[in-house]
Amino acid sequence: MIVELNANCEKYILQLERKFFNIFTVNSIKDDFLNNPYTHYLIYLNDNDVVGFLNYYDIYDRMEIVNFNVLNAFQNKHIGSSLLDKLFEIANNKKIKNITLEVRIDNKKAIHLYHKYGFKEVSIRKNYYQGVDGLLMECEMIKMKDVYVLGIESSCDETSFSIVKNGVDEIATVISSQIDIHKKYGGVVPEIASRAHIKNVTFVLEECLNKANMKMEDITAIAVTYGPGLIGSLLVGVEAAKTLSFLYNKPLIPVHHISGHIYANNLIKRLEFPLIALVISGGHTELILMDKDYSFKKLGGTLDDAVGECYDKVGRVIGVEYPGGPVIDKLAKLGSDTYNLPIPLNDDTYNFSFSGLKSAVINLVHNEEQRGKTINKEDLACSFQNVVIDILTKKTMKALKEYNINNLILAGGVAANNGIRNKFKELCEENNINYTFPSIKYSTDNAAMIAASGYYAYLDNRISDLTINAISSVELK
Ligand code: KG4
Ligand code: ZN
């Protein structure tokens, strides 16, 4: 049992003094209490015996752990963590912003426990404990409480809601895809997409909350894709987010769609920095360097078509259903590399170009047709995919080497591609590079990635008011 000490707890005060401070008569702890309103003691009782305690100060929105001890005979019984749990409960109720403490640098066990509670090392005080250095540690409270972010994604043809805890634990995700609606037009029709989003939005939200067994009141913050994407589609998600934020008084976090794709990897494994992200989707082809969370440096990008767009157009020419990407991936596995296609923008920059490759495939198909020949779809898919793999791997591996980085992540719909994954896996293993790929399911658009990214934006204080708007074209910052 944990008790907050007050001046009437004579019996416990005496025990504290005798067991932990070797004081037998002086009422020093009691005096400290009466004279200092900032001093508090939490004591852990075992059958009315004090076996552990935590002494802390609270001053405005800060706390300091001054003394913290558990009797030797009662170690390893989670008494320390129970006391810390209680402290965090009090800190949360008092809206404390940060907690600091000082610990002997050789007290590895205590330091490990503090790390588990989110304390970070701040500085070292030389010889603070007579010959032993003191380690100053700090915990920012916002990072401690469980944060449930509701993510909303509607930038293209998926209406999706998701709840993710602390940026890493997916609680529930619902994706309503419109692919079947757009298939008959061979691509996404923007007006139809936004109408379908409007029709779906409330149902998808409801289903997501039901699946998570949560209410809007349980949500900490709302993250929404504000761009880039189809403006009519984006607007539906952004308006939904603003309405929910206003109604339930929750912080609103605008999320860039590409940062979402990047953080889809965080749901597999916590991102390790510095890293290089190869973003390959229907609208993007970019190499991005990240030194830490929410720091994006673009090394290069496509000068014309995105790689996914190229896949879809090639798919259309060889007569496969929209979206062509996944179908070409499957065909490629069955074919051989027999067609000669140019490697586009095979230079020393980190830029890409796919319109030339697309035109080369279109011309090849037309020429063959004019000559009365039929193309071998599997072989063409294989030849095309090999060129794509060549150029993507060449530039990405070069960037890793040049910037001396050994963490790679893939992001975006095209990251679902088997051929691309396999080649990167092989090259990374050869070169001792750590790699993470998003799950196949969350390579393409979804709200789990937006919620994951939203968590780090929340920690970075990227909170917006209700004037935010959807933007169809916007750089990642
Ligand atoms: O990320 P995403 O869902 O939407 C954008 O943000 O653009 O990506 C969709 C793109 C489409 O072009 C689709 O053809 C492509 O990802 N894609 C693939 C594969 N699965 C999806 N491309 C190649 N291979 C795949 N297995
Ligand atoms: Zn996307």
Side-chain angles (χ1 to χ4, degrees):
M1 183 173 80
I2 295 174
V3 172
E4 270 191 70
L5 212 61
N6 60 53
N8 298 326
C9 300
E10 288 278 3
K11 177 170 104 184
Y12 298 139
I13 292 174
L14 280 171
Q15 280 194 39
L16 252 186
E17 291 175 339
R18 284 176 194 168
K19 291 183 186 168
F20 295 95
F21 296 99
N22 288 327
I23 309 168
F24 290 91
T25 48
V26 197
N27 256 348
S28 61
I29 292 182
K30 192 172 175 184
D31 288 346
D32 192 12
F33 258 127
L34 297 176
N35 299 326
N36 186 352
Y38 303 123
T39 300
H40 306 272
Y41 281 81
L42 296 174
I43 52 170
Y44 193 98
L45 296 178
N46 180 51
D47 284 335
N48 254 335
D49 271 333
V50 181
V51 296
F53 81 100
L54 191 157
N55 167 213
Y56 69 93
Y57 287 163
D58 65 348
I59 303 162
Y60 305 117
D61 54 5
R62 288 163 196 282
M63 268 184 179
E64 188 182 353
I65 298 177
V66 185
N67 221 325
F68 182 20
N69 210 342
V70 176
L71 290 179
N72 276 340
F74 289 86
Q75 301 260 332
N76 300 324
K77 293 189 191 310
H78 301 292
I79 292 175
S81 33
S82 305
L83 285 163
L84 277 176
D85 283 341
K86 184 71 188 170
L87 181 78
F88 275 102
E89 189 192 308
I90 296 168
N92 275 330
N93 290 339
K94 289 190 173 171
K95 305 230 170 341
I96 294 292
K97 291 214 172 105
N98 73 355
I99 307 177
T100 50
L101 61 89
E102 198 113 37
V103 57
R104 282 172 67 110
I105 200 140
D106 56 3
N107 191 349
K108 298 278 182 259
K109 208 169 145 200
I111 294 172
H112 181 71
L113 180 67
Y114 291 135
H115 276 151
K116 263 179 43 191
Y117 275 80
F119 283 88
K120 300 254 155 59
E121 303 173 10
V122 179
S123 64
I124 288 174
R125 291 204 176 143
K126 284 274 165 218
N127 284 330
Y128 192 71
Y129 297 97
Q130 281 125 19
V132 180
D133 294 347
L135 178 65
L136 187 68
M137 301 185 85
E138 179 179 17
C139 173
E140 285 177 58
M141 286 302 290
I142 189 173
K143 294 183 182 158
M144 281 309 305
K145 268 209 303 196
D146 283 336
V147 172
Y148 292 89
V149 176
L150 174 73
I152 307 176
E153 160 63 36
S154 72
S155 67
C156 191
D157 56 348
E158 266 89 26
T159 320
S160 178
F161 281 74
S162 173
I163 298 166
V164 169
K165 182 173 134 189
N166 299 335
V168 288
D169 291 335
E170 183 196 359
I171 307 292
T173 302
V174 178
I175 306 173
S176 162
S177 172
Q178 308 168 8
I179 284 187
D180 286 341
I181 305 175
H182 299 288
K183 245 179 195 162
K184 50 179 173 286
Y185 305 101
V188 178
V189 184
E191 280 74 16
I192 297 179
S194 44
R195 255 180 268 155
H197 283 304
I198 293 174
K199 223 170 95 188
N200 289 337
V201 71
T202 49
F203 298 110
V204 180
L205 167 65
E206 210 172 284
E207 196 182 327
C208 178
L209 288 169
N210 284 342
K211 211 168 154 186
N213 200 13
M214 288 175 80
K215 301 188 293 295
M216 272 310 295
E217 286 79 3
D218 304 324
I219 299 293
T220 318
I222 299 164
V224 61
T225 307
Y226 73 101
L230 301 170
I231 192 71
S233 293
L234 287 166
L235 274 169
V236 180
V238 170
E239 285 310 312
K242 286 204 238 181
T243 310
L244 292 170
S245 160
F246 177 69
L247 262 178
Y248 294 96
N249 194 22
K250 305 286 177 189
L252 180 62
I253 306 157
V255 169
H256 192 283
H257 184 73
I258 292 306
S259 86
H261 276 302
I262 289 173
Y263 277 91
N265 288 282
N266 207 66
L267 296 165
I268 300 288
K269 185 167 154 271
R270 176 74 181 105
L271 301 185
E272 279 177 42
F273 303 105
L275 63 80
I276 284 195
L278 173 66
V279 180
I280 38 180
S281 73
H284 295 264
T285 310
E286 283 166 19
L287 272 169
I288 291 165
L289 191 159
M290 291 176 76
D291 284 324
K292 55 178 187 199
D293 281 307
Y294 260 80
S295 143
F296 308 102
K297 182 178 169 209
K298 183 170 161 182
L299 304 180
T302 182
L303 304 176
D304 40 58
D305 293 355
V307 63
E309 190 181 348
C310 186
Y311 262 98
D312 295 340
K313 287 195 178 141
V314 167
R316 209 190 300 195
V317 174
I318 64 171
V320 302
E321 267 192 336
Y322 170 83
V327 191
I328 292 178
D329 191 12
K330 286 198 188 96
L331 292 174
K333 227 186 270 176
L334 306 170
S336 319
D337 191 343
T338 54
Y339 291 98
N340 217 350
L341 293 166
I343 298 191
L345 205 65
N346 191 8
D347 62 5
D348 279 339
T349 70
Y350 294 119
N351 290 326
F352 299 92
S353 161
F354 289 99
S355 74
L357 177 61
K358 174 189 72 188
S359 306
V361 175
I362 295 174
N363 290 339
L364 192 147
V365 172
H366 288 169
N367 287 342
E368 294 287 278
E369 276 170 1
Q370 271 166 7
R371 283 202 242 133
K373 289 189 183 168
T374 48
I375 52 148
N376 181 316
K377 283 185 189 174
E378 288 81 5
D379 288 353
L380 184 54
C382 176
S383 310
F384 164 75
Q385 183 147 301
N386 278 355
V387 172
V388 172
I389 293 173
D390 259 16
I391 197 66
L392 292 179
T393 51
K394 183 184 167 215
K395 297 211 169 184
T396 308
M397 298 313 285
K398 178 174 178 278
L400 287 161
K401 198 164 175 197
E402 187 182 321
Y403 289 91
N404 196 19
I405 287 173
N406 67 350
N407 296 304
L408 169 71
I409 59 173
L410 299 187
V414 185
N417 187 283
N418 267 298
I420 295 175
R421 282 179 180 233
N422 290 340
K423 189 67 191 176
F424 270 112
K425 189 164 174 273
E426 182 190 318
L427 289 170
C428 286
E429 280 165 8
E430 252 172 45
N431 291 282
N432 271 332
I433 306 276
N434 306 317
Y435 57 90
T436 310
F437 305 148
S439 67
I440 300 281
K441 189 167 80 171
Y442 294 156
S443 295
T444 47
D445 292 349
N446 66 85
M449 66 184 198
I450 302 301
S453 175
Y455 171 76
Y456 296 96
Y458 180 63
L459 294 188
D460 203 33
N461 242 334
R462 295 179 178 228
I463 294 166
S464 172
D465 59 24
L466 293 175
T467 60
I468 61 154
N469 220 334
I471 312 176
S472 62
S473 171
V474 54
E475 282 290 316
L476 175 61
K477 326 193 252 313

